[in-house]
Amino acid sequence: MKKSIFLYLFLLLSGIGFSQTFSGKIKDKTGSALVGVNVFNANNKSNVISDLDGTFIIKANLGDNLSFSMIGFASKNLNATLNMIVVLEEEAKNLGDVVVVGYGTKKVGSITGSVSQIKSEDLLKNPAQSAIQSIQGKAAGVNIVANDEPGASPTILIRGLGTILSSSTPLYVIDGVEANGINGLSANDIASIDILKDASSLAIYGQKGSNGVVLITTKKGKKGEIKVNMDTYLGQKFIQRKVKMADSYRYAYYNNVARGSSNFYNLNQPVNTNWLNEITTVGEVNNNSFSFSGGNETATYYFGASNYNEKGILTGTEYKRNNIISKNEFRAFNDKVKITQFLNISSVNGTSKPLSAFTSAYKQSPIMPVYNPNGRFAAPIINSLGYNDMSGIERYNNVSNPAADLYYANNKFKSLTLFGSIGAEVKLLSELKFNSNFGATFDWSKSFSYNANREIWLYQNPTNSELDFPTPDRINSLSQNRSDSYEWNWDNYITYKKKFGKHDFTIISGMSRTTTRNSEYLSATRYNVPEQNNYWYLNFSSNNVSIDPNSVVSNAHSTPIVSLAYFGRVEYEFNDRYLLSASLRREGISNFQANKRWDNFPALSAGWIISKEDFLSSNKTINFLKVRAGYGVVGNGKGTPSVNNVLFSSGNNYSFGNNSQINPGSIIPYQIDPNLTWEKMKEIDFGLDFRLLNNNLSGSIDVYNRKTDKIILPVEYPNVLSPGAVYVNAGEVTNKGVELSLNWKKEINKNWSYNIGGNISLNDNKLSKVYNSFFKNLIGGSLNNGVSTKQVREGEALGSFYVYEVKGYDSDGRFILSSEKVNAGSYLPKYTYGLNIGVNYKRMDLTIFSYGVGGNKVYNGKKAQRFGGENIESSSLENFWLPSNTNASNPKPSNDVPQPSTYFVEDGSYFRINNITFGYTLPKIIKRIDKLRIYATALNPFIFTKYSGYSPEISGSALGGAGIELDAYPTNKTYLIGLNINL
């Protein structure tokens, strides 16, 4: 028996001594598996990389010296033993965090491009209906213009504006699904948002990347017990700033002076209506979310559901969204095959009201009551005594009744968005894997609009009856709209990752196919439907008068845009300190003519981790220091397709023949440039990442210069060549800037900790070059009164206000204006910044986020859009021109339509406290409850600005309403309480 035992031990020890493989797991100090750790056997020079579970298998003998290394973690040397458990400690906090990049991931410490990451906990500290709005001020170089209208999306610009007519929206990629927005995804289901900013990071996305790429990773399950999370909050919303308007006495006085009369308006008015109060209410917001997740060795799962409800401050506005999300991962064949499934369903319904009601409330006279004595809405009609009277003799302005605007606006909308992906990862060899991911978005929407034409006419003509209504066949109208879209992308690529010695290679090669703008739209209108809303269907119309179908029915299907791309990227690291990355994407898009569809988009970047060098490795002050530089080329293929396709314009009838008969005809309104192609952005970026003072201070600095060439502009050729403007590649836009981010974190003791952080971004934007002499005027910024306020000119910033300069006053108190329009500044800020403070004491936490912009201008459009008899701001009466006050800040009262001038251009700079949150985590009383936290939050409680209007933050397009306060939804301030529960 003893011989058998000794023989067994001899064989066992012999097997161990001459074993060819050793295995183990690598974790961080929290117990989480570390993927991508380099394991090197110094004895036989073999090398492997840990997999997604942190597992490694390496050729070795018992006692061989194994080294474990990865950027962001301190290297460790251990002797080979059975079933090794290796724990690596972070060199600098967060350097080992994973950042999502194009078609892969990288450790923060090994990034060679400019990437910003916002994690889930930072998103949820700033509740908003859109997760993108929650990251405002938290990423340098990312300018987010919030929009507080229920259901509206914020505007996001990454490193300035690089286009005029093409889309400026970044590409969103949500778990592999390409999108133009966040698709109704709930912030509670987002794990992280990674923003690719520089061209070396963006080039792998080719013509989709010129405006930046926002990569969104949703939460997923982890192996272990089921985790349950519940979050809820509710609150109230208010207008952040109100504009003090003239009361009835001041209104009458001002407009009497404007009319040159002393008694047209009676100074003793019986009515003093506050129109803003009449159309607004206290808004309400409520959000509830629930999720559970878990998994085992072969599968993980995540399921979430959320409900968001908001009643806007504009009376009658409402927005409701319900979300369901499912994300599962399955593994088979010893983890050689991984299948991932992601699905999000978002159902939305709401009620919208015309935002012009805010402008009407600003302009309508306070002497007009909301209702007439007969119960109908009042109209601006004055009698001989100078009072508003339904039986009056004259209409004194053309402003509608704001309360009537809301009452008679019956607009509702519904939508269902389903987007998701299915992916497979197959490990072909230990260093080689294949990925295939198919993502798609389905969207169905419908809406209706009911207009009570006769009722509106009756309140505007109070002395008339229903029998006087001029168009009895159209007493009301009902419009029904339906649309659907289907877009998809399919990505296939292989990844080869090999480490040997101090060398680390990652090679990616693949192809991508995308179809977008695949949508259909149907709209129909009928008249004289029943007034009861449960009969608002087209078939209930009693109007059967023959009519041209084209005037009441519209149906169209857009031409899908197809792109096909081949891409590759090589990444090389040497000795965990020298980094190099190169990529190339060749892409074709159906948007352009056949000979202009394909192009190449290369990129090159490099980094040097200086702190790894011997001369800095023992430095106590500098814990991490990396310099990096990158260059890349990306395109913008999101231009309007119609500028590259021959169109025909009907209605151009012509008389010819012996009888001079009128025949229908069509023309080509403008010629097509066969050489039109995408705009191309080239950028060079230099960056510095650092961590100092025992990793308490971290930050980054970026300096960039990007040029977008081949900007599409309309040029006006002689009519004999083209009746309308021809769209050609004719200009260059530059954006030059500097970005700085700093964060200080300190743990004083086990009870106290705090953090202070901030970022600032400077950007200089201009149309630096126009190389087509036929380019003349490209104007925009309409005030809907025949006046434009913006113009595109060479050498100036995009979105610049071109208006007449106020030189002084003439002898009658009117402005003396310059003979030519001047550049009064752009709505684009020259700098943006964010500040944040966090304090933790025992179970209490306090966070403060703030955001600001500067160097931008705002055009006070509601103040400038005058036709006569409108109300004015109270401040306009404090110091206006009189023969005895010729140096006044305001002109003499007038009813003239004002010219666009510098008088209406104001400083748009502001500093706003975005968020103040105080939370308390209750002691653990119930064993099953891991965390129970209650909190109170104030959103946008304070703003500091010189702008006189409701809000200096106004979204829109460069040549549209951006920076013009006209029919704009005011910024809200919100106070809410919430509860977080983790089980």
Side-chain angles (χ1 to χ4, degrees), residues 688-708:
L688 180 71
D689 302 323
F690 56 86
R691 291 179 181 269
L692 312 173
L693 305 175
N694 198 28
N695 295 313
N696 288 322
L697 178 63
S698 62
S700 64
I701 302 173
D702 277 273
V703 180
Y704 63 88
N705 184 355
R706 59 168 55 180
K707 295 182 180 180
T708 306

Side-chain angles (χ1 to χ4, degrees), residues 820-882:
E820 298 288 337
K821 288 185 176 182
V822 299
N823 185 349
S826 170
Y827 80 92
L828 293 173
K830 293 181 179 179
Y831 59 91
T832 63
Y833 57 96
L835 298 170
N836 65 83
I837 299 172
V839 179
N840 295 279
Y841 175 67
K842 292 185 177 179
R843 298 182 179 278
M844 293 179 286
D845 59 90
L846 172 69
T847 57
I848 301 174
F849 289 99
S850 59
Y851 178 68
V853 304
N856 60 307
K857 300 296 183 180
V858 175
Y859 198 87
N860 198 329
K862 63 187 187 313
K863 185 177 181 179
Q865 191 196 59
R866 297 183 63 84
F867 299 92
E870 297 91 351
N871 199 10
I872 39 53
E873 296 178 15
S874 181
S875 60
S876 298
L877 281 158
E878 293 174 359
N879 186 17
F880 66 82
W881 187 96
L882 289 171

Side-chain angles (χ1 to χ4, degrees), residues 297-409:
E297 295 294 332
T298 59
T300 60
Y301 57 88
Y302 177 90
F303 177 85
S306 63
N307 166 256
Y308 178 88
N309 297 305
E310 180 179 350
K311 291 183 178 180
I313 59 169
L314 184 62
T315 301
T317 54
E318 191 174 30
Y319 178 81
K320 297 181 179 180
R321 185 186 67 226
N322 296 292
N323 280 75
I324 295 177
I325 185 173
S326 171
K327 188 174 183 178
N328 303 297
E329 184 178 291
F330 308 94
R331 300 189 179 199
F333 305 108
N334 295 322
D335 290 346
K336 291 184 178 180
V337 176
K338 182 176 70 173
I339 304 296
T340 57
Q341 167 268 318
F342 160 67
L343 176 66
N344 186 87
I345 301 174
S346 176
S347 172
V348 169
N349 68 77
T351 302
S352 63
K353 296 291 183 178
L355 300 187
S356 59
F358 284 112
T359 302
S360 296
Y362 175 92
K363 294 163 59 177
Q364 188 53 273
S365 167
I367 74 171
M368 187 180 89
V370 179
Y371 298 99
N372 285 324
N374 64 0
R376 285 184 176 155
F377 287 104
I381 301 173
I382 198 167
N383 63 21
S384 59
L385 299 177
Y387 300 121
N388 198 96
D389 186 352
M390 61 178 289
S391 302
I393 58 174
E394 183 178 341
R395 180 179 290 270
Y396 56 87
N397 69 41
N398 65 355
V399 183
S400 61
N401 185 319
D405 290 346
L406 299 185
Y407 181 82
Y408 289 119

Side-chain angles (χ1 to χ4, degrees), residues 638-665:
K638 295 182 179 179
T640 306
S642 60
V643 304
N644 200 36
N645 295 301
V646 176
L647 300 178
F648 291 90
S649 175
S650 61
N652 296 274
N653 301 333
Y654 193 78
S655 172
F656 63 89
N658 294 331
N659 298 326
S660 298
Q661 183 177 353
I662 301 296
N663 291 274

Side-chain angles (χ1 to χ4, degrees), residues 43 114 252 260 319 333 417 448 511 558 570 668 722 730 857:
N43 296 75
S114 183
Y319 178 81
F333 305 108
T417 301
F448 75 78
M511 65 175 294
S558 60
V570 177
I668 298 176
S722 177
K857 300 296 183 180

Side-chain angles (χ1 to χ4, degrees), residues 376 408 452-460 466 475 531:
R376 285 184 176 155
Y408 289 119
N453 303 327
R454 185 176 61 189
E455 297 304 312
I456 295 173
W457 183 86
L458 286 172
Y459 99 74
Q460 292 175 343
E466 293 183 356
I475 61 173
E531 295 181 0

